[in-house]
Amino acid sequence: MQKLRAIAVAMTATIVVSASANAQAVNNFDNSWFWGFKSGVNSFAVPGHGNTSTVDLGIDWVITRSKGGLYVSGNQSTFQRDLEFGDPTSQTGQRTVRVNDMRRITLAALGFPKHFGGITPYVGLGFMIAVLGDARVFVDSVNTFPTNSFLDEVENERSRSTAIAMGGVQIQTKRAAVFIQNTLVPSNNTFLFRSVLNFLEFGIRINFGSSIDQD
């Protein structure tokens, strides 16, 4: 995770000078629509196994005005983790569940408090839907096959919807821009990963034109 943070910082520092000196960068940001590709790190705690992190990939779509905008993104995390899930009907009081992958869709309203040349910090509040790809219950000589109610509970906790908060910086160079952002998702006791989810991402966005009618 520290290596990815260092890469993100290096990407940002590489173009700060040229971006901040570019007086036309704001014109290439306001009232525009962007398509972007991003990568990063998804950090969370696994019940019974401590903290972990995985690589996250995604695309996003941003519509901007001068002080605000709309953000939509889709992401995929590929991983395999075992977690401990409580089951009072088992002999040990819990069972091991193997979880694979996570997909999420995010929709947020963005605010752009101030431009600093081609550098635009932003904050956002929105809504996210996250779905785990698979959740398999381990069966062994100690814990035999679980009850149907247990399987139903695991299935119900495989997905969640929640409010999110995000913050980031976009650095504009003509029609291309780089960005780094962080998204926080609050903990929830009805999701298999009960901890706070943290997504640190960086990527590239391309300005594909005006988001307002020019007529």
Side-chain angles (χ1 to χ4, degrees), residues 7-146:
I7 292 171
V9 171
M11 289 177 57
T12 302
T14 299
I15 66 169
V16 163
V17 175
S18 61
S20 60
N22 187 353
Q24 297 300 317
V26 173
N27 293 333
N28 290 323
F29 180 88
D30 287 353
N31 301 317
S32 299
W33 63 283
F34 294 86
W35 281 101
F37 171 79
K38 57 183 178 171
S39 181
V41 176
N42 171 15
S43 302
F44 53 95
V46 179
H49 295 274
N51 295 327
T52 189
S53 60
T54 67
V55 175
D56 194 68
L57 298 173
I59 58 173
D60 63 19
W61 182 45
V62 180
I63 301 175
T64 66
R65 293 291 188 263
S66 59
K67 293 297 183 181
L70 176 67
Y71 175 87
V72 180
S73 74
N75 285 74
Q76 168 80 45
S77 298
T78 302
F79 59 85
Q80 179 176 280
R81 296 292 187 274
D82 292 345
L83 60 87
E84 305 308 315
F85 195 95
D87 181 7
T89 66
S90 73
Q91 296 185 43
T92 61
Q94 61 184 17
R95 294 180 185 273
T96 300
V97 179
R98 175 161 293 175
V99 177
N100 293 276
D101 306 341
M102 180 191 298
R103 297 181 180 90
R104 59 189 175 98
I105 296 174
T106 305
L107 175 66
L110 300 180
F112 312 122
K114 186 176 178 60
H115 296 291
F116 300 91
I119 303 173
T120 303
Y122 57 88
V123 294
L125 292 174
F127 186 78
M128 184 193 77
I129 298 174
V131 180
L132 297 171
D134 191 18
R136 292 174 289 173
V137 181
F138 277 41
V139 177
D140 54 35
S141 59
V142 176
N143 286 314
T144 56
F145 198 80

Side-chain angles (χ1 to χ4, degrees), residues 19-20 25 84 116 118 127 159 166 170 189 201:
S20 60
E84 305 308 315
F116 300 91
F127 186 78
S159 62
M166 63 188 303
Q170 178 160 315
N189 289 329
E201 302 168 305

